[in-house]
Amino acid sequence: MNSESSATPPTTSRPRALATEAVHAGRDDLAALGLHAPPIDLSTTYPSYDSRGEAERIDTFAATGARLDGPPVYARLDNPTTARFETALARLEGTGSAVSFASGMAALTAVLLVRASMGLRHVVAVRPLYGCSDHLLGAGLLGTEVTWTDPAGIADAIRPETGLVMVETPANPTLAEVDIRAIAHSCGSVPLLVDNTFATPVLQRPVEHGARIVLHSATKYLGGHGDVMGGIVACDEEFAARLRQVRFATGGVLHPMAGYLLLRGLGTLPVRVRAASASAAELSRRLAADPRVARVHYPRIGGAMVSFEVYGDPHRVISAVRLITPAVSLGSVDTLIQHPASISHRIVDEGDRQASGVGERLLRMSVGLEDVEDLWADLSQALDSGATEAAPRGDRGRADAGPLDPGHRADRDVSGRSVRTAVAKEPEPRPAGR
C-alpha cells in the first residue's frame, strides 16, 4: 500500500463551495503530515547552520518581500501557523495572498505606510468608518491626508498623489451600504480598499466587484468567540510583499496562538454568520414595528448587525440589558450592544459623527447565537427601561434598506449608497456622551 497516496486527499477541478473552503483552506497538507488538527508553532527563532544561505534568504526578502522558502529566520519575519490562517483567508476572499497583523488597526496602518512609502499619502474616504479608522486617517498620525466625500464625489476627489480609496460596507455603525463595483469604477487606477469586517466573505467578496484590497478586523467574525485579536489584509501578491516588509520593520505581527484560533474560527464562519444573520433579520423586523424605536438600520445584504435609534434614553437601554452584554466589539457567539457615540465613535469629532448618521440615540447590536426569543425578551424589557416617550401611532420606526421589510421603500443614489426613506420622526439631539 502506498502510504503517501493514502495520506494525500484526491484532487478535483471542481471549485469548492465556501463552506468547504472555510473548513479545509490552510489545512490541505495536514493528512500528508499525518496530522488532523493544525499544529501551533510558538518558536521565536529558528536554528540554521548555514549563515551564508541565511544571508541570501534575508537579502531576497529585503528585495522582494516574498515569503521565504524553508523555515523562517525569526518570528517577526514569518510563522507557519499564522501563514496557514493567511492562506485560508485569501482563499475565502478570492485573492492571491493575505497578510496578517496584530490587530485590524495595525493592518490598516501597514496599508497606509506602504502607499506613503511610494509618495502616495493622500486618501479618499467615505464616512462612516470604524471610529479608530476615521481617527487614524483624519489625525494625520502617519503623515497622510484625507479627503472625505460621498460615493458620488470619489472621482473628483482623486489627485495625482492619491494612494487609496477607502470604504466600509456595510458601514460601522449605521450599516449604510455602497455599490462596490460603481466605486471601483470611479477609482480608476487608484486601489479601492473595502473594510469587509461586518459582511465577511460569507456575504460578499469585494474583489469580485473590483476592489483590490480587503481589510478585516479578524478580532470580530473571523475569530468569532471574543477571545482573540488580529487583523488581516487580503490582496494580490505584489501588494502582500510590500505589506510583509512593513510588518517586519514595524513589528505588528500576529501571535501564533492568535493565528491558530483564527484559523479554527474560519471553520465555523459560514455557519455562525448565517445563523446569527437569521436572528438579526427577525429582530430588525420586530424593532421596526416597535413604538419605542424611531428607526432601524439593517443592510440589504443581511448580516448579524442591527442598529436602531430609540425615542427614549439609549443609556438606560444599555444599562438595563441582562442577557445581552453591554460591550464594545462585535462578531462573537454572544450578543453585544453598545452606544457608538460614547464608545466606538467617541474619538470622531461630534459634528462629523452627526453628519455621518451616528446620532446620540443610535444603538448598535451585534447579534449572536442565542435563541431569538430570549434575545427579544431581554431587548424588549431594556427598551421599557429606556422609554421616556413613544412615537405617535402611525409614525413608528421602519427598517432602513432592510431586505426583509417588503412594505418599506428604500432607494439608492446614483453611486449606490443607501438613501434613507423611513418616515419615522427624527429624535431630538442630545449632548454627546450622556
Side-chain angles (χ1 to χ4, degrees), residues 92-116:
L92 293 183
E93 284 289 4
T95 60
S97 297
V99 183
S100 61
F101 294 86
S103 69
M105 291 308 302
L108 177 57
T109 295
V111 171
L112 296 174
L113 288 175
V114 166
R115 300 305 280 167

Side-chain angles (χ1 to χ4, degrees), residues 107 132 305 320:
C132 287
M305 301 298 299

Side-chain angles (χ1 to χ4, degrees), residues 174-175 276-291 293-309 335 363 365-367 372 375-376 379 383 396-406 408:
T174 66
L175 304 180
S277 297
S279 294
E282 176 60 23
L283 292 173
S284 73
R285 284 193 187 101
R286 299 187 188 189
L287 287 166
D290 197 295
V293 177
R295 179 174 284 123
V296 174
H297 307 268
Y298 187 69
R300 293 170 185 257
I301 201 172
M305 301 298 299
V306 180
S307 292
F308 56 99
E309 301 165 41
T335 299
L363 295 172
M365 184 167 61
S366 168
V367 180
V372 71
L375 290 174
W376 178 248
L379 186 57
L383 287 169
R396 296 184 176 183
R398 304 298 299 271
D400 264 0
L404 301 171
D405 186 7
H408 175 60

Side-chain angles (χ1 to χ4, degrees), residues 133-196:
S133 299
D134 188 306
H135 177 67
L136 183 63
L137 293 176
L141 295 173
L142 300 177
T144 55
E145 178 189 353
V146 62
T147 296
W148 299 102
T149 184
D150 60 27
I154 287 174
D156 290 337
I158 290 175
R159 309 192 312 227
E161 68 273 23
T162 302
L164 195 70
V165 174
M166 182 173 179
V167 300
E168 183 175 7
T169 182
N172 185 356
T174 66
L175 304 180
E177 297 170 275
V178 298
D179 185 332
I180 297 173
R181 191 177 301 278
I183 288 180
H185 179 73
S186 298
C187 291
S189 61
V190 177
L192 171 61
L193 182 152
V194 174
D195 187 331
N196 203 34

